[in-house]
Amino acid sequence: MNEIEVIARRILGWKLNHWDRWFDPEMRVFIYDFQPDKNIQHALLIVEKLKEFGYSYTTNGSKEVCFNDVCATGDTLEQAITNAAFSLADNRSIAEEWL
């Protein structure tokens, strides 16, 4: 899985419906061309979902983001959010941490 897939599946709980389309079972909608590293609206979906899980979101300028103690940088805010979320999702179970 690439980092976008890891984020979509492990954080957002989405299911891949087609190569270019994700399904959000909670909202019952399809998401086309999910690119949180390039689209701020997509990146903010990640921020909101992690806030629901109890993570705090902080920024240090426009190129560094932290979710609790997991921080990452990127060339843009979108990339920083994506990188931090991937680090978080790739290293621990989001849902299990808050049980």
Side-chain angles (χ1 to χ4, degrees):
M1 275 192 282
N2 68 29
E3 68 181 18
I4 304 300
E5 283 185 76
V6 168
I7 291 168
R9 291 177 192 274
R10 294 186 183 167
I11 294 177
L12 299 171
W14 294 351
K15 310 229 182 288
L16 190 61
N17 181 265
H18 195 263
W19 68 270
D20 68 339
R21 178 176 59 214
W22 290 91
F23 180 68
D24 179 349
E26 184 179 313
M27 301 298 291
R28 304 189 55 74
V29 296
F30 290 99
I31 296 85
Y32 294 88
D33 198 26
F34 181 59
Q35 294 184 346
D37 57 332
K38 297 176 183 154
N39 182 322
I40 191 64
Q41 292 172 333
H42 291 173
L44 292 176
L45 290 172
I46 298 166
V47 172
E48 291 307 313
K49 182 57 89 174
L50 287 172
K51 284 182 179 179
E52 287 177 23
F53 285 130
Y55 285 87
S56 63
Y57 167 73
T58 57
T59 61
N60 185 7
S62 62
K63 297 183 180 188
E64 183 178 10
V65 166
C66 296
F67 293 106
N68 291 359
D69 61 342
V70 176
C71 300
T73 60
D75 292 335
T76 64
L77 180 60
E78 295 92 330
Q79 287 178 349
I81 291 169
T82 301
N83 292 341
F86 177 71
S87 293
L88 188 64
D90 196 43
N91 292 315
R92 57 187 98 177
S93 172
I94 303 300
E96 288 177 15
E97 184 170 312
W98 293 102
L99 291 177

